[in-house]
Amino acid sequence: MARPTTTDGEPAHAPRGEGRLRRAWCAAHKPAAGVPRWARRVACAVPLVVLPSGIWRLGVLFTEDKRGGAIEDWAMNGYIVFLTLFSEVLAFAAVGLVARWGEVVPRWVPWLRGRRPTAAAVVPAAIGATILTLVFTVIAIVTTVTQSKTDGDPLPADFPSRAGGWETIYFYAAYVPLVLWGPMLGILTYAYWRRRGSVTTGPLLPPTAGNTT
């Protein structure tokens, strides 16, 4: 016996909020035409690569002494939460390089609706991939190997990577995945550019009745 459904295809007994959340999730992750499976997997993995460092960072909220008391706790807590959320938003932007919403300007944008913003997506993504690779891949590896800051001074004795024991293991487990963020974004950006390079910039949305000739 078929399960009763609503006009949107959701089970009739499903909570309305749950149905909206599911539709939003599907819309955000629905791949665009021509996107290979490997690209979808890489794009969905980017937020997961960034997540461990965010969890580690949020743990600082529960420490008694932050930055040696140089910054007020409320200011440091706000900065930590903002940085964690902002990092995840940036990481999720990688999904736009494989999803429909990242390839077609929405209908509500005047003059540009229905067009493919190839350059507007490729240029910021390429710059971001370069910066992320430089910071989290190149500089992070160098500072980890040399155990020194970018200015050459040694890391403080209480730095997590020098604390020893489980604290150091947890720190590396949380931050080592960030080494992949820049290269993964770069690969997705190149694939996006190649895929969109053979497509015109004309509108993709079907013409309305008033515009049909």
Short mmCIF file of all heavy atoms in Angstrom, two decimals, residues 105-135:
data_model
loop_
_atom_site.label_atom_id
_atom_site.label_comp_id
_atom_site.label_asym_id
_atom_site.label_seq_id
_atom_site.Cartn_x
_atom_site.Cartn_y
_atom_site.Cartn_z
N VAL A 105 22.66 32.00 -12.30
CA VAL A 105 22.21 33.13 -11.48
C VAL A 105 20.72 32.97 -11.21
O VAL A 105 19.95 32.72 -12.14
CB VAL A 105 22.49 34.47 -12.19
CG1 VAL A 105 21.99 35.64 -11.34
CG2 VAL A 105 23.97 34.62 -12.48
N PRO A 106 20.28 33.11 -9.96
CA PRO A 106 18.85 32.92 -9.63
C PRO A 106 17.95 33.88 -10.39
O PRO A 106 18.38 34.94 -10.86
CB PRO A 106 18.81 33.19 -8.12
CG PRO A 106 20.20 32.93 -7.65
CD PRO A 106 21.10 33.35 -8.77
N ARG A 107 16.67 33.52 -10.46
CA ARG A 107 15.69 34.32 -11.19
C ARG A 107 15.51 35.72 -10.60
O ARG A 107 15.19 36.67 -11.32
CB ARG A 107 14.32 33.61 -11.19
CG ARG A 107 14.27 32.33 -11.99
CD ARG A 107 12.90 31.68 -11.84
NE ARG A 107 12.78 30.45 -12.59
CZ ARG A 107 12.38 30.37 -13.85
NH1 ARG A 107 12.06 31.48 -14.50
NH2 ARG A 107 12.29 29.21 -14.46
N TRP A 108 15.71 35.84 -9.26
CA TRP A 108 15.40 37.12 -8.63
C TRP A 108 16.49 38.17 -8.83
O TRP A 108 16.33 39.32 -8.43
CB TRP A 108 15.16 36.92 -7.13
CG TRP A 108 16.23 36.16 -6.41
CD1 TRP A 108 16.25 34.81 -6.17
CD2 TRP A 108 17.43 36.69 -5.85
NE1 TRP A 108 17.39 34.47 -5.48
CE2 TRP A 108 18.13 35.60 -5.28
CE3 TRP A 108 17.98 37.97 -5.76
CZ2 TRP A 108 19.36 35.76 -4.63
CZ3 TRP A 108 19.19 38.12 -5.13
CH2 TRP A 108 19.86 37.03 -4.57
N VAL A 109 17.61 37.80 -9.49
CA VAL A 109 18.68 38.76 -9.75
C VAL A 109 18.39 39.46 -11.08
O VAL A 109 18.38 38.82 -12.13
CB VAL A 109 20.06 38.08 -9.81
CG1 VAL A 109 21.15 39.11 -10.10
CG2 VAL A 109 20.34 37.34 -8.51
N PRO A 110 18.14 40.77 -11.07
CA PRO A 110 17.80 41.46 -12.32
C PRO A 110 18.96 41.49 -13.30
O PRO A 110 20.11 41.52 -12.91
CB PRO A 110 17.42 42.88 -11.85
CG PRO A 110 18.13 43.04 -10.54
CD PRO A 110 18.17 41.67 -9.91
N TRP A 111 18.62 41.46 -14.59
CA TRP A 111 19.55 41.55 -15.71
C TRP A 111 20.46 40.31 -15.88
O TRP A 111 20.89 40.01 -16.97
CB TRP A 111 20.43 42.81 -15.62
CG TRP A 111 19.64 44.07 -15.59
CD1 TRP A 111 18.80 44.57 -16.55
CD2 TRP A 111 19.60 45.01 -14.52
NE1 TRP A 111 18.24 45.74 -16.15
CE2 TRP A 111 18.72 46.06 -14.90
CE3 TRP A 111 20.22 45.08 -13.28
CZ2 TRP A 111 18.44 47.14 -14.10
CZ3 TRP A 111 19.94 46.17 -12.46
CH2 TRP A 111 19.06 47.18 -12.88
N LEU A 112 20.78 39.65 -14.78
CA LEU A 112 21.71 38.51 -14.86
C LEU A 112 21.03 37.17 -14.67
O LEU A 112 21.69 36.14 -14.79
CB LEU A 112 22.82 38.66 -13.81
CG LEU A 112 23.73 39.88 -13.93
CD1 LEU A 112 24.71 39.91 -12.78
CD2 LEU A 112 24.46 39.87 -15.26
N ARG A 113 19.74 37.15 -14.36
CA ARG A 113 19.08 35.89 -14.05
C ARG A 113 19.17 34.90 -15.21
O ARG A 113 19.01 35.26 -16.38
CB ARG A 113 17.61 36.13 -13.69
CG ARG A 113 16.80 36.88 -14.72
CD ARG A 113 15.35 36.97 -14.27
NE ARG A 113 14.57 37.87 -15.12
CZ ARG A 113 14.34 39.13 -14.82
NH1 ARG A 113 14.82 39.62 -13.70
NH2 ARG A 113 13.62 39.89 -15.62
N GLY A 114 19.47 33.66 -14.84
CA GLY A 114 19.55 32.60 -15.83
C GLY A 114 20.88 32.49 -16.53
O GLY A 114 21.08 31.60 -17.36
N ARG A 115 21.83 33.35 -16.21
CA ARG A 115 23.13 33.29 -16.88
C ARG A 115 24.15 32.53 -16.05
O ARG A 115 24.01 32.40 -14.84
CB ARG A 115 23.65 34.71 -17.18
CG ARG A 115 22.76 35.46 -18.16
CD ARG A 115 23.36 36.79 -18.58
NE ARG A 115 22.53 37.45 -19.57
CZ ARG A 115 22.60 37.23 -20.89
NH1 ARG A 115 23.48 36.35 -21.35
NH2 ARG A 115 21.82 37.86 -21.72
N ARG A 116 25.19 32.06 -16.71
CA ARG A 116 26.24 31.28 -16.06
C ARG A 116 27.38 32.22 -15.65
O ARG A 116 28.11 32.72 -16.51
CB ARG A 116 26.77 30.19 -16.99
CG ARG A 116 25.73 29.17 -17.40
CD ARG A 116 26.36 28.12 -18.29
NE ARG A 116 25.40 27.17 -18.78
CZ ARG A 116 25.07 26.04 -18.17
NH1 ARG A 116 25.65 25.75 -17.02
NH2 ARG A 116 24.20 25.20 -18.68
N PRO A 117 27.60 32.45 -14.37
CA PRO A 117 28.65 33.38 -13.91
C PRO A 117 30.01 32.70 -13.83
O PRO A 117 30.60 32.57 -12.76
CB PRO A 117 28.15 33.78 -12.53
CG PRO A 117 27.46 32.54 -12.04
CD PRO A 117 26.83 31.89 -13.25
N THR A 118 30.54 32.27 -14.98
CA THR A 118 31.77 31.49 -14.97
C THR A 118 32.93 32.27 -14.36
O THR A 118 33.59 31.81 -13.41
CB THR A 118 32.14 31.06 -16.40
OG1 THR A 118 31.04 30.32 -16.96
CG2 THR A 118 33.37 30.17 -16.39
N ALA A 119 33.20 33.46 -14.89
CA ALA A 119 34.33 34.24 -14.39
C ALA A 119 34.12 34.67 -12.95
O ALA A 119 35.05 34.68 -12.14
CB ALA A 119 34.56 35.46 -15.27
N ALA A 120 32.87 35.04 -12.60
CA ALA A 120 32.57 35.49 -11.24
C ALA A 120 32.76 34.37 -10.22
O ALA A 120 32.93 34.65 -9.03
CB ALA A 120 31.13 36.01 -11.17
N ALA A 121 32.72 33.13 -10.66
CA ALA A 121 32.94 32.00 -9.75
C ALA A 121 34.39 31.54 -9.79
O ALA A 121 34.98 31.22 -8.75
CB ALA A 121 32.02 30.84 -10.12
N VAL A 122 34.99 31.52 -10.98
CA VAL A 122 36.34 30.97 -11.13
C VAL A 122 37.39 31.87 -10.49
O VAL A 122 38.30 31.39 -9.80
CB VAL A 122 36.66 30.75 -12.62
CG1 VAL A 122 38.14 30.42 -12.82
CG2 VAL A 122 35.80 29.62 -13.18
N VAL A 123 37.30 33.17 -10.70
CA VAL A 123 38.34 34.08 -10.21
C VAL A 123 38.42 34.07 -8.67
O VAL A 123 39.51 33.86 -8.11
CB VAL A 123 38.10 35.52 -10.74
CG1 VAL A 123 39.08 36.49 -10.08
CG2 VAL A 123 38.25 35.55 -12.25
N PRO A 124 37.30 34.29 -7.94
CA PRO A 124 37.41 34.22 -6.48
C PRO A 124 37.84 32.84 -5.98
O PRO A 124 38.60 32.74 -5.01
CB PRO A 124 36.00 34.58 -6.00
CG PRO A 124 35.36 35.28 -7.14
CD PRO A 124 35.94 34.66 -8.36
N ALA A 125 37.33 31.79 -6.62
CA ALA A 125 37.69 30.43 -6.20
C ALA A 125 39.17 30.17 -6.41
O ALA A 125 39.83 29.54 -5.57
CB ALA A 125 36.85 29.40 -6.94
N ALA A 126 39.71 30.63 -7.53
CA ALA A 126 41.14 30.42 -7.82
C ALA A 126 42.00 31.20 -6.83
O ALA A 126 43.02 30.68 -6.34
CB ALA A 126 41.45 30.84 -9.25
N ILE A 127 41.60 32.44 -6.53
CA ILE A 127 42.34 33.23 -5.55
C ILE A 127 42.28 32.57 -4.17
O ILE A 127 43.28 32.46 -3.46
CB ILE A 127 41.80 34.66 -5.49
CG1 ILE A 127 42.05 35.38 -6.82
CG2 ILE A 127 42.43 35.45 -4.34
CD1 ILE A 127 41.43 36.76 -6.90
N GLY A 128 41.08 32.12 -3.80
CA GLY A 128 40.92 31.46 -2.51
C GLY A 128 41.73 30.18 -2.42
O GLY A 128 42.36 29.91 -1.38
N ALA A 129 41.74 29.39 -3.49
CA ALA A 129 42.52 28.15 -3.49
C ALA A 129 44.01 28.44 -3.35
O ALA A 129 44.74 27.71 -2.64
CB ALA A 129 42.25 27.37 -4.77
N THR A 130 44.48 29.50 -3.99
CA THR A 130 45.89 29.87 -3.89
C THR A 130 46.26 30.28 -2.47
O THR A 130 47.28 29.84 -1.92
CB THR A 130 46.21 31.01 -4.87
OG1 THR A 130 45.88 30.60 -6.21
CG2 THR A 130 47.68 31.38 -4.81
N ILE A 131 45.42 31.13 -1.87
CA ILE A 131 45.70 31.60 -0.51
C ILE A 131 45.64 30.44 0.49
O ILE A 131 46.51 30.31 1.36
CB ILE A 131 44.70 32.70 -0.11
CG1 ILE A 131 44.90 33.94 -1.00
CG2 ILE A 131 44.86 33.07 1.36
CD1 ILE A 131 43.89 35.04 -0.76
N LEU A 132 44.63 29.60 0.37
CA LEU A 132 44.48 28.47 1.29
C LEU A 132 45.64 27.49 1.17
O LEU A 132 46.13 26.96 2.17
CB LEU A 132 43.16 27.75 1.02
CG LEU A 132 41.89 28.52 1.38
CD1 LEU A 132 40.66 27.78 0.89
CD2 LEU A 132 41.80 28.74 2.89
N THR A 133 46.09 27.26 -0.06
CA THR A 133 47.23 26.36 -0.27
C THR A 133 48.49 26.95 0.34
O THR A 133 49.29 26.24 0.96
CB THR A 133 47.43 26.09 -1.77
OG1 THR A 133 46.24 25.50 -2.31
CG2 THR A 133 48.60 25.14 -1.99
N LEU A 134 48.67 28.26 0.15
CA LEU A 134 49.86 28.91 0.70
C LEU A 134 49.86 28.87 2.23
O LEU A 134 50.89 28.56 2.85
CB LEU A 134 49.92 30.35 0.21
CG LEU A 134 51.09 31.20 0.72
CD1 LEU A 134 52.41 30.62 0.23
CD2 LEU A 134 50.94 32.65 0.25
N VAL A 135 48.70 29.16 2.84
CA VAL A 135 48.63 29.27 4.30
C VAL A 135 48.61 27.90 4.97
O VAL A 135 49.43 27.62 5.87
CB VAL A 135 47.40 30.08 4.72
CG1 VAL A 135 47.23 30.06 6.24
CG2 VAL A 135 47.51 31.51 4.21
#
